[in-house]
Amino acid sequence: RQTQQRARTGFNMTRLDGRWAVAEVLPGSPAEIGGVQRGWIVVARNGQKLGARNDFRAQDGEVAQWEFLDDHDRPVTLALSARPLSTKPRQDARELPGGLVYLRFDGFDGPDRRWLSEQLKAHHDAPGVVLDLRQNSGGETFSLGITIGEFFEHTVDCGTFVSRHGSRSEKNSWQLGSARYTGRVAVLVDGVTASAAEIFSAVLQDHGRATLIGRKTAGAVLASWFSVLPDGGELQLSREDYFAPKGRRLEGNGLEPDVKVARTLEDLRAGHDADLDAALRVLRGS
């Protein structure tokens, strides 16, 4: 966790229509070098068919035989070696038609917070932004409060945290160096969106500041702390529950998007992002 590296083959999978498909291939990874393509069907690993749940913990240098079906459903077998790859949150910015801007950030930490602020300031006059949180599993509450402040001209209610002893603490956004972005906002969410990413989405939704698009979020928002153990390991323990500004408890419930979009294997294999298309329609007012 501290080095932000672990042994990986370099592709992420998603479960669609009862099958596992390659959702993302990491640049420069053994998977990309080996020719793995987004949208391929993942059939088996070392002769073992993939089930509904899988837990692969590759070791550095371990070689696994992967069986795929390519985009024409032809079988492909590749021997892919795992090696240390970065687990740092990814960031992506690009301009969209009509002056809109797409911003993806996969965590709520210092580097992501500063990157997003810079992007919003650089595109302050953009009529709308798409925030892609579909791979964002959360992060720091400090960065969360500042990031929320980027989209408001004043401090706003960010909800209530409740300790194990029952004490309640109301939190507000911070306007520290805020971009005070005033354009329209669409937030892409799904089942991977968790923790601080869910809180961020709930706050913007409750204040009518953004339209949430995609699928229900993870429902994993308990605030936790790390404690160092005698052997050098760490214990992560949840210590606070969370309620959104309008009183919704997100833990175990998740967050429902304003615009629900079904993700299909056909769309993935065709390279079609239905969530992004829906976001563009929303930002254009159609």
Side-chain angles (χ1 to χ4, degrees):
R1 189 177 69 85
Q2 292 175 346
T3 62
Q4 292 188 298
Q5 279 194 342
R6 65 179 173 86
R8 308 175 67 184
T9 302
F11 67 89
N12 297 324
M13 300 186 298
T14 188
R15 185 80 167 170
L16 293 173
D17 301 340
R19 308 171 83 181
W20 288 104
V22 176
E24 186 174 41
V25 181
L26 303 185
S29 67
E32 183 188 56
I33 296 171
V36 177
Q37 299 290 318
R38 185 173 182 268
W40 281 14
I41 304 300
V42 190
V43 179
R45 179 180 186 270
N46 290 335
Q48 185 74 32
K49 299 290 185 181
L50 270 60
R53 298 180 66 86
N54 303 283
D55 186 17
F56 307 125
R57 298 287 178 178
Q59 300 298 313
D60 185 12
E62 178 184 356
V63 178
Q65 293 286 336
W66 290 91
E67 298 175 33
F68 303 93
L69 295 178
D70 68 11
D71 50 355
H72 296 290
D73 286 327
R74 296 172 300 201
V76 178
T77 300
L78 296 173
L80 301 176
S81 175
R83 63 176 176 83
L85 296 175
S86 173
T87 59
K88 291 181 180 180
R90 295 184 62 189
Q91 302 162 347
D92 182 24
R94 62 179 186 267
E95 294 186 5
L96 302 171
L100 303 174
V101 178
Y102 168 93
L103 300 173
R104 167 186 169 175
F105 58 106
D106 292 352
F108 278 83
D109 57 16
D112 279 299
R113 165 171 53 83
R114 290 186 287 271
W115 175 85
L116 179 63
S117 184
E118 292 169 0
Q119 292 296 327
L120 291 173
K121 290 170 182 174
H123 298 95
H124 190 269
D125 296 330
V129 298
V130 179
L131 303 179
D132 190 347
L133 303 186
R134 291 175 294 181
Q135 295 295 324
N136 194 310
S137 58
E140 309 163 347
T141 55
F142 176 76
S143 292
L144 170 65
I146 296 177
T147 302
I148 291 172
E150 300 284 356
F151 297 90
F152 296 90
E153 295 185 333
H154 53 79
T155 298
V156 297
D157 174 20
C158 292
T160 303
F161 289 86
V162 182
S163 73
R164 287 179 176 269
H165 301 292
S167 60
R168 304 175 68 87
S169 174
E170 295 182 355
K171 303 293 185 182
N172 294 319
S173 65
W174 295 314
Q175 308 305 116
L176 301 176
S178 172
R180 289 179 167 80
Y181 179 74
T182 58
R184 303 183 73 176
V185 181
V187 182
L188 307 185
V189 298
D190 67 6
V192 177
T193 309
S195 191
E198 290 184 270
I199 296 175
F200 171 86
S201 301
V203 172
L204 265 63
Q205 188 182 48
D206 278 2
H207 286 290
R209 185 64 185 90
T211 301
L212 272 54
I213 297 167
R215 291 153 297 285
K216 188 176 181 179
T217 62
V221 298
L222 297 182
S224 62
W225 280 256
F226 287 91
S227 299
V228 178
L229 299 176
D231 65 354
E234 291 181 323
L235 170 69
Q236 182 180 6
L237 177 68
S238 59
R239 289 167 52 181
E240 288 185 335
D241 201 353
Y242 171 77
F243 292 83
K246 290 188 176 181
R248 295 177 293 174
R249 182 174 188 259
L250 303 187
E251 178 65 26
N253 298 314
L255 189 63
E256 292 287 352
D258 301 296
V259 179
K260 295 183 179 180
V261 180
R263 192 180 192 192
T264 67
L265 180 59
E266 181 181 1
D267 281 343
L268 177 63
R269 302 192 80 180
H272 176 221
D273 192 338
D275 297 341
L276 182 57
D277 286 350
L280 294 178
R281 290 194 295 270
V282 166
L283 294 179
R284 291 166 181 160
S286 59

